[in-house]
Amino acid sequence: MDDGKPTGPKATWWSRPAPGRVPEQEPHGHPRPLPEPQEHARPSPEPQQHAQPLHEPDAYSTPPYGGPGPWAPAPPVQVPTPAHGVFLPPADRPRADQADQASPAGPGGPGLPGGPQWGPYDPWGVPGQQPFTDQGTPPRPRRRVGIVGALLFALLTGVVGGAVGANVERNNGFGSVELPQAGPDLGDRAPDSVAGIAASALPSVVTLHVSGADEQGTGTGFVLDRQGHILTNNHVVQPAGASGEISVTFSGGETARAKIVGKDSGYDLAVVKVSGVSGLKPLPLGNSDNVRVGDPVVAIGAPFDLSNTVTSGIISARERPITAGGESGDGSDVSYVDALQTDAPINPGNSGGPLVDSKARVIGINSAIRAADTGGGAEGGQAGSIGLGFAIPINQGKRVAEELINTGKAAHPVIGVSLDMEYTGDGARVGKEAADGSPSVVPGGGAAKAGIRSGDVITEVDGQRVHSGQELIVKIRAHRPGDRLALTVVRGGRERTVNLTLGSANGT
């Protein structure tokens, strides 16, 4: 019967309904066939023979026999939440295996061109979403994920590197550190070098610790002979008095008791002796008359009780008249020295130590320094060296030491006059009378025999200018009793030269 509708084959029972369309139901749940859209009507083809299924048709079209029935789709199923990191493809992306499939139906419906493409049934799938088993091309990784990964890698690398570096620093690297170093040598030094001089002289230098009833002090000395005689300064042993103790420490650390053999305040020299000590090494004596300004020298001592201290310098001047001491007030402890001046650093504690030449021979006994704060004085003060040190010439020290060892006293050369120490003019003036009221010119003395009178001014000794009474005493003390001297004398404005022989007086 032709009712004006296009004719065509009816949908078979395994056909799927178009999305969004629900087929009308026949009584007893049988689906009613859907009519074909008119706009897609086609001429009726010849009936075709279809293969018979291998089982009896299921009136309810229940899976898995055949495709799903034409009933309404089941309600959405709650999809399990995928594990962290599992990629879910976009819901609107078509499956790769469906992209090129041809639809047996026309547009607008199932199996039609332009209609939805059906894949295998997935009961857990969400409508319109690609299943997890999609084998299509994976999406391109996002750039942000790559940047975050790079930052995390850099952070991790920095943390690990810092930890490794800190561990290496705490443990001195991956292994023990060995720095390059010169190998040992034989210790030989040139004999005239400071090191060579020190090596030769140090075994003969000692440190003295002196203690008395009221005071104590530290100084230096050096060995004179194998009998144990040691030369030092008088002001070093002065604190011992008559009943004090003197301890001598050698360069190797050995100690011994010492006693005073003799001392002289006018020369500021003293000799002590140790007993029961063997292996003593005397320090050779030089000749101070051979010293020239600019000669290298080495000073050895115990400045501020720092034993075995070595300093070096040169001879800055010769025959420098100095006086030291005078603390007693009566002038009995004043020393007069025609000294060697040196810039080798000398400090408190160096007193009595040797000043040696380039051949490690003694040319002087370190005795005094000129301090910037006091302007002069003995080394007993605590002012440091300013490069002005003074040493007693060894020629004078040798003579005095011999006298002290042999007699216990030292003889002082004299000319037989009393000087006016308050005279401010140039030269040394003979006083009117002595301190005790006796004549200023000693009768029968050397000056009296040479014709010197009270009021005469002595300006030169053996051609060397003198500017004060102290300088005249220094020049006289530089000689021995019995030596002949030429003095230049001014009287009444007239100058003349006289010769005399030095007398002798016992020192204190």
Side-chain angles (χ1 to χ4, degrees), residues 7 49 154 177 180 192 194 234 324 327 404 421 473 475 486:
T7 61
Q49 297 297 326
V177 176
D192 58 348
V194 175
N234 175 71
E327 286 80 5
L404 293 177
M421 302 303 292
I473 297 174
K475 295 302 181 182

Side-chain angles (χ1 to χ4, degrees), residues 415-421 423 427-433 439-441 447 452-458 472 489:
I415 60 174
V417 298
S418 295
L419 300 177
D420 182 4
M421 302 303 292
Y423 178 68
R429 186 173 68 178
V430 179
K432 293 183 179 180
E433 60 181 17
S440 59
V441 179
I452 296 176
R453 301 176 185 177
S454 175
D456 288 349
V457 177
I458 302 171
L472 178 61
V489 179

Side-chain angles (χ1 to χ4, degrees), residues 292-308:
R292 297 294 180 266
V293 174
D295 284 349
V297 291
V298 172
I300 304 175
F304 299 101
D305 204 15
L306 299 174
S307 60
N308 300 330

Side-chain angles (χ1 to χ4, degrees), residues 72-476:
V77 179
Q78 181 67 33
V79 181
T81 303
H84 179 70
V86 177
F87 174 75
L88 293 178
D92 57 350
R93 181 175 178 179
R95 290 177 51 174
D97 57 351
Q98 296 177 347
D100 298 328
Q101 290 182 356
S103 175
L112 298 179
Q117 303 298 322
W118 298 102
Y121 175 71
D122 183 4
W124 297 100
V126 178
Q129 178 173 331
Q130 185 176 1
F132 296 159
T133 58
D134 185 12
Q135 301 298 323
T137 304
R140 181 179 301 174
R142 298 181 179 179
R143 178 177 299 178
R144 183 174 61 183
V145 176
I147 294 176
V148 172
L151 292 176
L152 290 176
F153 177 76
L155 178 61
L156 180 61
T157 303
V159 172
V160 173
V164 171
N167 183 69
V168 169
E169 182 178 0
R170 286 195 301 268
N171 295 280
N172 296 325
F174 294 101
S176 60
V177 176
E178 293 186 5
L179 301 177
Q181 184 180 20
D185 59 19
L186 299 178
D188 296 336
R189 297 294 184 269
D192 58 348
S193 66
V194 175
I197 295 170
S200 177
L202 275 172
S204 303
V205 180
V206 301
T207 301
L208 285 79
H209 293 89
V210 182
S211 61
D214 300 326
E215 56 181 334
Q216 59 185 8
T218 302
T220 309
F222 58 93
V223 178
L224 290 174
D225 54 30
R226 297 186 184 277
Q227 286 71 40
H229 292 106
I230 295 172
L231 183 61
T232 186
N233 282 137
N234 175 71
H235 72 264
V236 170
V237 300
Q238 187 65 37
S243 60
E245 294 184 353
I246 301 175
S247 174
V248 174
T249 303
F250 294 87
S251 61
E254 304 87 352
T255 61
R257 296 290 182 181
K259 63 179 183 179
I260 297 176
V261 174
K263 60 181 181 178
D264 188 278
S265 60
Y267 290 114
D268 194 20
L269 291 173
V271 174
V272 300
K273 183 179 181 181
V274 294
S275 301
V277 179
S278 60
L280 295 176
K281 180 183 177 182
L283 194 58
L285 306 182
N287 189 335
S288 53
D289 290 341
N290 298 333
V291 174
R292 297 294 180 266
V293 174
D295 284 349
V297 291
V298 172
I300 304 175
F304 299 101
D305 204 15
L306 299 174
S307 60
N308 300 330
T309 297
V310 177
T311 57
S312 64
I314 62 170
I315 294 295
S316 304
R318 296 176 67 238
E319 300 177 347
R320 185 74 77 187
I322 65 167
T323 58
E327 286 80 5
S328 64
D330 58 0
S332 61
D333 61 340
V334 177
S335 60
Y336 301 89
V337 180
D338 199 22
L340 297 173
Q341 180 180 322
T342 179
D343 66 348
I346 296 174
N347 291 284
N350 273 111
S351 289
L355 185 69
V356 299
D357 60 12
S358 60
K359 295 183 179 181
R361 300 174 303 190
V362 182
I363 58 172
I365 302 101
N366 301 318
S367 180
I369 61 174
R370 187 172 185 87
D373 56 347
T374 62
E379 178 241 342
Q382 292 299 307
S385 172
I386 60 172
L388 292 175
F390 304 96
I392 300 171
I394 192 58
N395 289 9
Q396 180 176 334
K398 176 180 177 297
R399 178 182 65 82
V400 173
E402 290 172 346
E403 293 180 354
L404 293 177
I405 293 173
N406 295 327
T407 66
K409 296 181 179 179
H412 295 176
V414 295
I415 60 174
V417 298
S418 295
L419 300 177
D420 182 4
M421 302 303 292
E422 297 180 357
Y423 178 68
T424 58
D426 190 37
R429 186 173 68 178
V430 179
K432 293 183 179 180
E433 60 181 17
D436 59 358
S438 61
S440 59
V441 179
V442 178
K449 293 178 180 180
I452 296 176
R453 301 176 185 177
S454 175
D456 288 349
V457 177
I458 302 171
T459 59
E460 293 182 4
V461 176
D462 281 346
Q464 294 181 337
R465 190 76 182 181
V466 294
H467 303 282
S468 66
Q470 291 179 338
E471 288 191 17
L472 178 61
I473 297 174
V474 168
K475 295 302 181 182
I476 298 299

